Amino acid sequence: MDATALGSLLVGAGAIAGAAVAYLGKRGETALTGYSSLTDNLQEERDRLDRKSAEQALALAQQAAERAADQAEIARLRALVIHLGGTP
């Protein structure tokens, strides 16, 4: 085998190795892009759930205020009935 043939084989091996490295690098890039996309989706879902939780907490606070007002009204009406001589 002369130097030209050996050089051609080395160039061919280098090209194959370069293609393998490029392929593996592209797979890694694709995996990284997928991971970033997944992270973005998870952050959006977390933000959506945070907003939903805040809305539910507000609704519960409003219901608690309405319940307290209803209980105060019931107590007032009971006191009025007792004051007028009725039974509660």
Side-chain angles (χ1 to χ4, degrees):
M1 185 178 291
D2 62 353
T4 305
L6 183 59
S8 295
L9 286 176
L10 290 176
V11 168
I16 291 173
V21 167
Y23 173 74
L24 293 175
K26 188 64 177 174
R27 280 185 59 195
E29 180 184 339
T30 302
L32 183 60
T33 301
Y35 178 76
S36 295
S37 176
L38 177 63
T39 302
D40 291 342
N41 290 342
L42 288 173
Q43 288 174 344
E44 288 174 8
E45 183 177 354
R46 181 201 60 210
D47 293 342
R48 181 181 56 81
L49 290 174
D50 284 345
R51 284 191 301 272
K52 184 177 178 181
S53 176
E55 290 170 0
Q56 288 175 343
L58 180 61
L60 284 175
Q62 289 172 342
Q63 290 174 354
E66 290 173 8
R67 182 171 187 249
D70 288 345
Q71 288 176 339
E73 180 66 11
I74 290 169
R76 186 187 72 77
L77 292 173
R78 282 186 180 157
L80 182 62
V81 169
I82 292 171
H83 177 70
L84 295 175
T87 56

